[in-house]
């Protein structure tokens, strides 16, 4: 698992940080809980970036996520 972090490092600082946090959470909490917390953290960060930096309203962000997961495209 640690060796996999080196491959993630090629994608950027955010991805490496999130993967490291995920690895630590999985180690401390277990596979299901660690991944769940890491996904929630990633979703929160994406929400804040889209809402504050790109000035997209909350309703539009949620709508795009539902569209994406229903197979219609959606959030980038």
């Amino acid at each position: 698992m640690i060796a996999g972090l080196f491959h993630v490092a090629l994608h950027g600082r955010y991805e490496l940080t999130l993967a490291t946090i995920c690895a630590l959470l999985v180690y401390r909490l277990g596979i299901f809980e660690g991944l769940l917390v890491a996904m929630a953290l990633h979703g929160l960060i994406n929400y804040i970036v889209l809402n504050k930096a790109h000035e997209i309203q909350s309703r539009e962000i949620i709508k795009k996520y539902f569209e994406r997961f229903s197979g219609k495209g959606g959030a980038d």
Side-chain angles (χ1 to χ4, degrees), residues 3-75:
L5 289 176
F6 294 116
H7 298 290
V8 175
L10 298 173
H11 294 283
R13 188 181 320 166
Y14 172 73
E15 290 81 0
L16 178 62
T17 304
L18 188 63
T20 303
I21 291 170
C22 181
L24 292 172
L25 286 169
V26 166
Y27 178 74
R28 296 286 289 155
L29 300 176
I31 187 78
F32 180 74
E33 294 85 359
L35 290 174
L36 195 61
V37 172
M39 284 177 29
L41 179 65
H42 176 62
L44 179 67
I45 291 169
N46 277 333
Y47 173 79
I48 291 170
V49 168
L50 289 172
N51 193 337
K52 301 297 180 191
H54 297 290
E55 299 177 358
I56 300 175
Q57 294 181 351
S58 299
R59 175 179 247 166
E60 190 65 28
I61 294 170
I62 294 169
K63 180 182 171 188
K64 285 184 179 184
Y65 274 120
F66 279 124
E67 286 175 1
R68 181 174 194 166
F69 293 120
S70 69
K72 299 178 186 172

